[in-house]
Amino acid sequence: MTKQPFFYIFLFIITIFTLPVVVLADNNDFKQYTVTKGDTLWSISGKELSDPFLWPKIWKENSDIKNPDRLYPGQTIRIPLYLLQKERTEEAPAARQEPLSQPASTSTAKAETLTKKGPASVGLKPLVSHTALMASGYVSDIISSVGDITGSPSDRKIFGNNDIVYVKMKQPAKIGDKFYIIRANKQVWHPITGKNLGYEIEMLGIAEINQFEYGETKAVITQVFSEIVSGDLLQPYYEMAPPLTTGNYRKPHMEATVIAVKNLHLVGGKFDIVYIDKGERDGIDAGDMFRTVNIGTHKVPNGTIQIIYARDTTSTAIIRECTNPVTAGNLVTHLE
């Protein structure tokens, strides 16, 4: 009986010395970042991980952040370091398909074109990350949807990964059916001609039907690119994968105009998404590189953009480099 106190004292000492090791190991999996004025998870992800589209993964690790666009100076957030290695080693999907409104053969031919641009011995890599492609959005004069999100059992206002939501479908759905969650933002007007070009369609995430209960249809959000709220629309799911390329990109001799910055922001910086008024009908293809030029008293080059997704008459591009903010109305021209 007299040995028991010594045993518990020994156990206590072992616990005290091993606990800091466990805590330290956990902290070493994250980088502590102190928020400064103007920071968002989007901008922090771009600076720290070189990919702003990884921001939902940072949000997931910071459950105290209710709104990813509302951070406060001095606030400390945790950035998971595994994302750096994971993004480098992520396998690229084999092929890309366009939205259902376009023939699947178009995407197949496009992927083959990019694949054949260099010697077979040169390694292929995705044009952009899978997440970047899905979250980039596009401009369209047609808003197509098969349903919408009407709320959630938890009565939350903003939804994220693994949240359960109620959906109202225009046609019967079955368990396992998948849908893109989209939002039609404000109308896009051509900054030079004033023509109505339609709406910016933002892709917010992916949902999957998982339950029918008491006359309600429920879905689980399996992936999120931006905050999701009631009223957001559902669009049939289709596979999207970046085209594989050798890195030998075209520099077409043509002119276009930046018609909007993603989320209708006034200006765009490095890694931001912009939309231009030329598309496949004009000969533009994914991978094409262009110079942007600010037109004022003088013509001043201000950035380099690359097309990541081309529709019939408009295209989506990512800002690869910029010396000054890129804005709607900027000239898009040949990159020398």
Side-chain angles (χ1 to χ4, degrees):
M1 298 293 292
T2 57
K3 293 183 179 180
Q4 289 185 0
F6 293 102
F7 171 76
Y8 289 117
I9 292 174
F10 175 75
L11 182 62
F12 175 76
I13 293 174
I14 292 297
T15 302
I16 291 298
F17 279 96
T18 57
L19 182 59
V21 176
V22 174
V23 172
L24 181 59
D26 180 67
N27 287 337
N28 282 340
D29 291 335
F30 297 88
K31 176 179 179 179
Q32 301 293 324
Y33 179 91
T34 302
V35 175
T36 59
K37 185 177 180 180
D39 273 344
T40 63
L41 291 187
W42 169 273
S43 64
I44 293 171
S45 182
K47 287 188 294 185
E48 298 296 320
L49 303 175
S50 298
D51 188 345
F53 294 97
L54 290 176
W55 73 264
K57 297 183 183 294
I58 299 179
W59 189 22
K60 183 179 179 181
E61 299 293 344
N62 293 269
S63 57
D64 58 315
I65 299 177
K66 304 305 180 184
N67 187 329
D69 289 325
R70 294 181 182 175
L71 303 181
Y72 305 96
Q75 184 178 2
T76 300
I77 64 174
R78 305 197 316 166
I79 301 176
L81 299 180
Y82 79 91
L83 292 176
L84 288 170
Q85 183 63 25
K86 182 176 180 181
E87 190 66 12
R88 293 192 189 104
T89 58
E90 185 182 46
E91 291 185 2
R96 165 189 170 189
Q97 292 182 4
E98 304 290 349
L100 296 182
S101 59
Q102 299 187 16
S105 58
T106 302
S107 61
T108 302
K110 186 180 297 183
E112 290 176 353
T113 299
L114 284 174
T115 301
K116 294 177 180 178
K117 283 187 176 178
S121 59
V122 178
L124 301 177
K125 61 180 182 180
L127 180 60
V128 290
S129 72
H130 190 214
T131 303
L133 179 65
M134 290 192 292
S136 60
Y138 53 92
V139 173
S140 175
D141 57 356
I142 298 175
I143 304 174
S144 60
S145 73
V146 294
D148 63 288
I149 295 175
T150 60
S152 74
S154 64
D155 287 331
R156 290 184 58 184
K157 303 301 181 184
I158 300 175
F159 314 122
N161 276 326
N162 301 316
D163 280 347
I164 302 297
V165 294
Y166 292 118
V167 298
K168 182 178 180 181
M169 307 301 300
K170 296 179 180 178
Q171 299 292 334
K174 61 182 184 296
I175 301 296
D177 283 352
K178 296 168 67 175
F179 302 91
Y180 282 116
I181 305 168
I182 68 168
R183 179 182 302 149
N185 289 325
K186 293 181 180 179
Q187 289 181 303
V188 177
W189 302 83
H190 197 287
I192 305 300
T193 67
K195 179 182 177 181
N196 184 354
L197 301 176
Y199 295 84
E200 178 198 2
I201 305 300
E202 185 179 5
M203 303 186 76
L204 309 171
I206 299 173
E208 181 176 330
I209 304 298
N210 72 333
Q211 189 178 15
F212 300 104
E213 184 180 51
Y214 303 115
E216 297 275 9
T217 301
K218 293 182 180 180
V220 58
I221 297 175
T222 59
Q223 194 169 358
V224 60
F225 313 132
S226 186
E227 62 181 46
I228 297 167
V229 299
S230 294
D232 286 334
L233 306 175
L234 301 179
Q235 186 180 77
Y237 179 84
Y238 48 90
E239 291 295 334
M240 294 183 70
L244 301 181
T245 171
T246 62
N248 296 321
Y249 304 120
R250 301 190 314 165
K251 301 174 182 178
H253 284 265
M254 67 172 65
E255 291 191 351
T257 302
V258 175
I259 55 176
V261 179
K262 182 175 167 61
N263 294 327
L264 300 184
H265 291 164
L266 295 179
V267 299
K270 189 174 181 179
F271 300 128
D272 278 343
I273 295 295
V274 296
Y275 310 109
I276 70 172
D277 63 351
K278 294 289 178 66
E280 285 185 333
R281 292 182 184 177
D282 306 288
I284 287 182
D285 203 354
D288 290 350
M289 302 286 292
F290 292 96
R291 172 77 66 201
T292 58
V293 179
N294 184 44
I295 305 296
T297 305
H298 303 281
K299 295 182 178 180
V300 182
N302 59 348
T304 301
I305 64 173
Q306 183 172 32
I307 305 299
I308 62 175
Y309 174 48
R311 293 172 63 83
D312 282 349
T313 58
T314 61
S315 296
T316 300
I318 186 170
I319 301 174
R320 292 299 191 190
E321 298 291 342
C322 65
T323 53
N324 286 299
V326 177
T327 66
N330 283 171
L331 174 68
V332 176
T333 188
H334 173 63
L335 177 64
E336 297 179 354

